[in-house]
mmCIF file of all heavy atoms in Angstrom:
data_model
loop_
_atom_site.group_PDB
_atom_site.id
_atom_site.type_symbol
_atom_site.label_atom_id
_atom_site.label_comp_id
_atom_site.label_asym_id
_atom_site.label_seq_id
_atom_site.Cartn_x
_atom_site.Cartn_y
_atom_site.Cartn_z
ATOM 1 N N LYS D 41 -12.175 7.625 -15.867
ATOM 2 C CA LYS D 41 -12.971 6.402 -15.689
ATOM 3 C C LYS D 41 -14.075 6.318 -16.718
ATOM 4 O O LYS D 41 -14.438 5.227 -17.159
ATOM 5 C CB LYS D 41 -13.553 6.365 -14.271
ATOM 6 C CG LYS D 41 -12.488 6.068 -13.271
ATOM 7 C CD LYS D 41 -13.017 5.426 -12.032
ATOM 8 C CE LYS D 41 -11.824 4.902 -11.245
ATOM 9 N NZ LYS D 41 -12.018 5.009 -9.832
ATOM 10 N N ARG B 20 -1.659 9.571 1.389
ATOM 11 C CA ARG B 20 -1.361 8.157 1.095
ATOM 12 C C ARG B 20 -1.950 7.250 2.167
ATOM 13 O O ARG B 20 -2.593 6.257 1.882
ATOM 14 C CB ARG B 20 0.157 7.950 1.002
ATOM 15 C CG ARG B 20 0.563 6.567 0.515
ATOM 16 C CD ARG B 20 2.017 6.342 0.765
ATOM 17 N NE ARG B 20 2.857 7.238 0.003
ATOM 18 C CZ ARG B 20 3.265 7.013 -1.238
ATOM 19 N NH1 ARG B 20 2.899 5.915 -1.846
ATOM 20 N NH2 ARG B 20 4.042 7.862 -1.867
ATOM 21 N N LEU B 23 -5.834 7.182 1.862
ATOM 22 C CA LEU B 23 -6.336 6.382 0.732
ATOM 23 C C LEU B 23 -6.052 4.898 0.952
ATOM 24 O O LEU B 23 -6.873 4.044 0.642
ATOM 25 C CB LEU B 23 -5.722 6.861 -0.584
ATOM 26 C CG LEU B 23 -6.099 8.295 -0.994
ATOM 27 C CD1 LEU B 23 -5.321 8.716 -2.236
ATOM 28 C CD2 LEU B 23 -7.588 8.419 -1.257
ATOM 29 N N PHE B 24 -4.871 4.610 1.521
ATOM 30 C CA PHE B 24 -4.511 3.212 1.779
ATOM 31 C C PHE B 24 -5.457 2.607 2.821
ATOM 32 O O PHE B 24 -5.962 1.500 2.635
ATOM 33 C CB PHE B 24 -3.050 3.126 2.239
ATOM 34 C CG PHE B 24 -2.584 1.712 2.444
ATOM 35 C CD1 PHE B 24 -2.375 0.878 1.350
ATOM 36 C CD2 PHE B 24 -2.388 1.202 3.713
ATOM 37 C CE1 PHE B 24 -1.971 -0.433 1.529
ATOM 38 C CE2 PHE B 24 -1.987 -0.107 3.901
ATOM 39 C CZ PHE B 24 -1.776 -0.918 2.807
ATOM 40 N N SER B 26 -8.364 3.512 3.333
ATOM 41 C CA SER B 26 -9.724 3.454 2.781
ATOM 42 C C SER B 26 -9.836 2.302 1.793
ATOM 43 O O SER B 26 -10.874 2.135 1.145
ATOM 44 C CB SER B 26 -10.061 4.758 2.058
ATOM 45 O OG SER B 26 -9.936 5.839 2.915
ATOM 46 N N GLY B 27 -8.752 1.536 1.632
ATOM 47 C CA GLY B 27 -8.768 0.350 0.773
ATOM 48 C C GLY B 27 -8.756 0.660 -0.718
ATOM 49 O O GLY B 27 -9.268 -0.121 -1.518
ATOM 50 N N LYS B 28 -8.145 1.790 -1.102
ATOM 51 C CA LYS B 28 -8.119 2.140 -2.531
ATOM 52 C C LYS B 28 -7.003 1.399 -3.259
ATOM 53 O O LYS B 28 -6.004 1.005 -2.654
ATOM 54 C CB LYS B 28 -7.924 3.657 -2.690
ATOM 55 C CG LYS B 28 -8.988 4.481 -2.027
ATOM 56 C CD LYS B 28 -10.351 4.211 -2.637
ATOM 57 C CE LYS B 28 -11.466 4.841 -1.835
ATOM 58 N NZ LYS B 28 -12.788 4.518 -2.328
ATOM 59 N N LYS B 29 -7.191 1.241 -4.595
ATOM 60 C CA LYS B 29 -6.216 0.482 -5.383
ATOM 61 C C LYS B 29 -4.848 1.173 -5.358
ATOM 62 O O LYS B 29 -4.758 2.385 -5.606
ATOM 63 C CB LYS B 29 -6.698 0.363 -6.827
ATOM 64 C CG LYS B 29 -7.770 -0.673 -6.982
ATOM 65 C CD LYS B 29 -8.105 -0.910 -8.428
ATOM 66 C CE LYS B 29 -9.154 -2.011 -8.499
ATOM 67 N NZ LYS B 29 -9.827 -2.094 -9.756
ATOM 68 N N THR B 30 -3.790 0.375 -5.077
ATOM 69 C CA THR B 30 -2.442 0.928 -4.960
ATOM 70 C C THR B 30 -2.043 1.721 -6.207
ATOM 71 O O THR B 30 -1.473 2.799 -6.106
ATOM 72 C CB THR B 30 -1.425 -0.222 -4.728
ATOM 73 O OG1 THR B 30 -1.988 -1.108 -3.785
ATOM 74 C CG2 THR B 30 -0.112 0.288 -4.242
ATOM 75 N N GLU B 31 -2.365 1.157 -7.386
ATOM 76 C CA GLU B 31 -1.985 1.828 -8.640
ATOM 77 C C GLU B 31 -2.604 3.219 -8.732
ATOM 78 O O GLU B 31 -1.935 4.187 -9.103
ATOM 79 C CB GLU B 31 -2.510 1.013 -9.825
ATOM 80 C CG GLU B 31 -1.439 0.260 -10.552
ATOM 81 C CD GLU B 31 -2.053 -0.592 -11.638
ATOM 82 O OE1 GLU B 31 -2.841 -0.070 -12.432
ATOM 83 O OE2 GLU B 31 -1.725 -1.794 -11.664
ATOM 84 N N GLU B 32 -3.902 3.296 -8.390
ATOM 85 C CA GLU B 32 -4.604 4.582 -8.456
ATOM 86 C C GLU B 32 -4.039 5.551 -7.426
ATOM 87 O O GLU B 32 -3.921 6.748 -7.692
ATOM 88 C CB GLU B 32 -6.115 4.393 -8.222
ATOM 89 C CG GLU B 32 -6.819 3.778 -9.402
ATOM 90 C CD GLU B 32 -8.344 3.720 -9.223
ATOM 91 O OE1 GLU B 32 -8.903 4.600 -8.569
ATOM 92 O OE2 GLU B 32 -8.944 2.781 -9.757
ATOM 93 N N VAL B 33 -3.689 5.019 -6.242
ATOM 94 C CA VAL B 33 -3.126 5.875 -5.186
ATOM 95 C C VAL B 33 -1.796 6.458 -5.664
ATOM 96 O O VAL B 33 -1.564 7.668 -5.594
ATOM 97 C CB VAL B 33 -2.928 5.080 -3.863
ATOM 98 C CG1 VAL B 33 -2.208 5.931 -2.819
ATOM 99 C CG2 VAL B 33 -4.268 4.618 -3.304
ATOM 100 N N GLU B 34 -0.921 5.596 -6.200
ATOM 101 C CA GLU B 34 0.386 6.061 -6.661
ATOM 102 C C GLU B 34 0.241 7.087 -7.777
ATOM 103 O O GLU B 34 0.985 8.063 -7.850
ATOM 104 C CB GLU B 34 1.250 4.874 -7.134
ATOM 105 C CG GLU B 34 1.700 3.959 -6.018
ATOM 106 C CD GLU B 34 2.357 4.691 -4.853
ATOM 107 O OE1 GLU B 34 3.141 5.625 -5.090
ATOM 108 O OE2 GLU B 34 2.059 4.342 -3.692
ATOM 109 N N ASP B 35 -0.726 6.854 -8.646
ATOM 110 C CA ASP B 35 -0.993 7.745 -9.776
ATOM 111 C C ASP B 35 -1.327 9.157 -9.297
ATOM 112 O O ASP B 35 -0.728 10.129 -9.753
ATOM 113 C CB ASP B 35 -2.220 7.185 -10.520
ATOM 114 C CG ASP B 35 -1.974 7.141 -12.007
ATOM 115 O OD1 ASP B 35 -0.800 7.011 -12.380
ATOM 116 O OD2 ASP B 35 -2.963 7.242 -12.756
ATOM 117 N N ILE B 36 -2.267 9.249 -8.380
ATOM 118 C CA ILE B 36 -2.709 10.576 -7.914
ATOM 119 C C ILE B 36 -1.619 11.228 -7.055
ATOM 120 O O ILE B 36 -1.440 12.443 -7.090
ATOM 121 C CB ILE B 36 -4.078 10.514 -7.177
ATOM 122 C CG1 ILE B 36 -4.656 11.930 -6.987
ATOM 123 C CG2 ILE B 36 -4.014 9.814 -5.842
ATOM 124 C CD1 ILE B 36 -5.042 12.643 -8.238
ATOM 125 N N MET B 37 -0.861 10.405 -6.314
ATOM 126 C CA MET B 37 0.227 10.959 -5.482
ATOM 127 C C MET B 37 1.256 11.637 -6.375
ATOM 128 O O MET B 37 1.721 12.729 -6.083
ATOM 129 C CB MET B 37 0.932 9.823 -4.708
ATOM 130 C CG MET B 37 0.105 9.120 -3.694
ATOM 131 S SD MET B 37 -0.353 10.127 -2.317
ATOM 132 C CE MET B 37 1.248 10.524 -1.697
ATOM 133 N N SER B 70 -11.002 10.370 -2.572
ATOM 134 C CA SER B 70 -11.285 8.978 -2.234
ATOM 135 C C SER B 70 -12.599 8.502 -2.861
ATOM 136 O O SER B 70 -12.688 7.368 -3.347
ATOM 137 C CB SER B 70 -11.331 8.850 -0.712
ATOM 138 O OG SER B 70 -11.749 7.591 -0.349
ATOM 139 N N MET B 73 -12.247 7.219 -6.342
ATOM 140 C CA MET B 73 -11.340 6.083 -6.598
ATOM 141 C C MET B 73 -12.001 4.750 -6.240
ATOM 142 O O MET B 73 -12.853 4.691 -5.357
ATOM 143 C CB MET B 73 -10.048 6.277 -5.804
ATOM 144 C CG MET B 73 -9.302 7.508 -6.279
ATOM 145 S SD MET B 73 -8.026 8.031 -5.167
ATOM 146 C CE MET B 73 -6.718 6.949 -5.645
ATOM 147 N N SER B 74 -11.550 3.695 -6.954
ATOM 148 C CA SER B 74 -12.197 2.392 -6.753
ATOM 149 C C SER B 74 -11.670 1.685 -5.506
ATOM 150 O O SER B 74 -10.480 1.773 -5.193
ATOM 151 C CB SER B 74 -11.952 1.475 -7.948
ATOM 152 O OG SER B 74 -11.634 2.207 -9.074
ATOM 153 N N PHE B 75 -12.572 0.966 -4.850
ATOM 154 C CA PHE B 75 -12.189 0.157 -3.682
ATOM 155 C C PHE B 75 -11.522 -1.127 -4.178
ATOM 156 O O PHE B 75 -12.020 -1.776 -5.098
ATOM 157 C CB PHE B 75 -13.432 -0.172 -2.846
ATOM 158 C CG PHE B 75 -13.103 -0.874 -1.563
ATOM 159 C CD1 PHE B 75 -12.644 -0.152 -0.485
ATOM 160 C CD2 PHE B 75 -13.242 -2.242 -1.450
ATOM 161 C CE1 PHE B 75 -12.317 -0.788 0.709
ATOM 162 C CE2 PHE B 75 -12.914 -2.895 -0.267
ATOM 163 C CZ PHE B 75 -12.463 -2.154 0.816
ATOM 164 N N ASP B 76 -10.394 -1.462 -3.581
ATOM 165 C CA ASP B 76 -9.639 -2.634 -4.023
ATOM 166 C C ASP B 76 -10.067 -3.867 -3.214
ATOM 167 O O ASP B 76 -9.453 -4.188 -2.194
ATOM 168 C CB ASP B 76 -8.147 -2.343 -3.822
ATOM 169 C CG ASP B 76 -7.280 -3.384 -4.465
ATOM 170 O OD1 ASP B 76 -7.829 -4.312 -5.097
ATOM 171 O OD2 ASP B 76 -6.045 -3.288 -4.354
ATOM 172 N N TYR B 77 -11.128 -4.556 -3.694
ATOM 173 C CA TYR B 77 -11.651 -5.705 -2.945
ATOM 174 C C TYR B 77 -10.614 -6.822 -2.812
ATOM 175 O O TYR B 77 -10.362 -7.319 -1.724
ATOM 176 C CB TYR B 77 -12.918 -6.252 -3.611
ATOM 177 C CG TYR B 77 -14.097 -5.335 -3.448
ATOM 178 C CD1 TYR B 77 -14.480 -4.467 -4.467
ATOM 179 C CD2 TYR B 77 -14.825 -5.310 -2.254
ATOM 180 C CE1 TYR B 77 -15.550 -3.599 -4.310
ATOM 181 C CE2 TYR B 77 -15.894 -4.448 -2.087
ATOM 182 C CZ TYR B 77 -16.261 -3.599 -3.116
ATOM 183 O OH TYR B 77 -17.309 -2.739 -2.942
ATOM 184 N N THR B 78 -9.985 -7.201 -3.947
ATOM 185 C CA THR B 78 -9.041 -8.329 -3.881
ATOM 186 C C THR B 78 -7.814 -7.954 -3.053
ATOM 187 O O THR B 78 -7.334 -8.758 -2.261
ATOM 188 C CB THR B 78 -8.602 -8.768 -5.290
ATOM 189 O OG1 THR B 78 -8.318 -7.588 -6.044
ATOM 190 C CG2 THR B 78 -9.644 -9.574 -5.997
ATOM 191 N N GLY B 79 -7.327 -6.710 -3.233
ATOM 192 C CA GLY B 79 -6.154 -6.255 -2.485
ATOM 193 C C GLY B 79 -6.416 -6.254 -0.993
ATOM 194 O O GLY B 79 -5.598 -6.730 -0.205
ATOM 195 N N SER B 80 -7.603 -5.727 -0.601
ATOM 196 C CA SER B 80 -7.932 -5.651 0.825
ATOM 197 C C SER B 80 -8.083 -7.045 1.414
ATOM 198 O O SER B 80 -7.607 -7.322 2.515
ATOM 199 C CB SER B 80 -9.233 -4.878 1.040
ATOM 200 O OG SER B 80 -9.094 -3.593 0.528
ATOM 201 N N TYR B 83 -4.705 -8.530 2.090
ATOM 202 C CA TYR B 83 -4.061 -8.050 3.312
ATOM 203 C C TYR B 83 -4.718 -8.649 4.554
ATOM 204 O O TYR B 83 -4.033 -9.039 5.503
ATOM 205 C CB TYR B 83 -4.116 -6.523 3.383
ATOM 206 C CG TYR B 83 -3.064 -5.876 2.511
ATOM 207 C CD1 TYR B 83 -3.401 -5.116 1.416
ATOM 208 C CD2 TYR B 83 -1.705 -6.051 2.801
ATOM 209 C CE1 TYR B 83 -2.435 -4.543 0.606
ATOM 210 C CE2 TYR B 83 -0.728 -5.484 2.002
ATOM 211 C CZ TYR B 83 -1.096 -4.730 0.917
ATOM 212 O OH TYR B 83 -0.136 -4.178 0.122
#
Side-chain angles (χ1 to χ4, degrees):
Chain D
K41 287 206 168 145
Chain B
R20 188 194 295 274
L23 296 174
F24 183 71
S26 302
K28 301 298 170 184
K29 283 188 178 164
T30 317
E31 254 176 51
E32 286 186 32
V33 174
E34 291 309 319
D35 227 28
I36 193 66
M37 295 293 299
S70 173
M73 296 166 82
S74 338
F75 186 79
D76 190 2
Y77 289 99
T78 44
S80 301
Y83 281 114

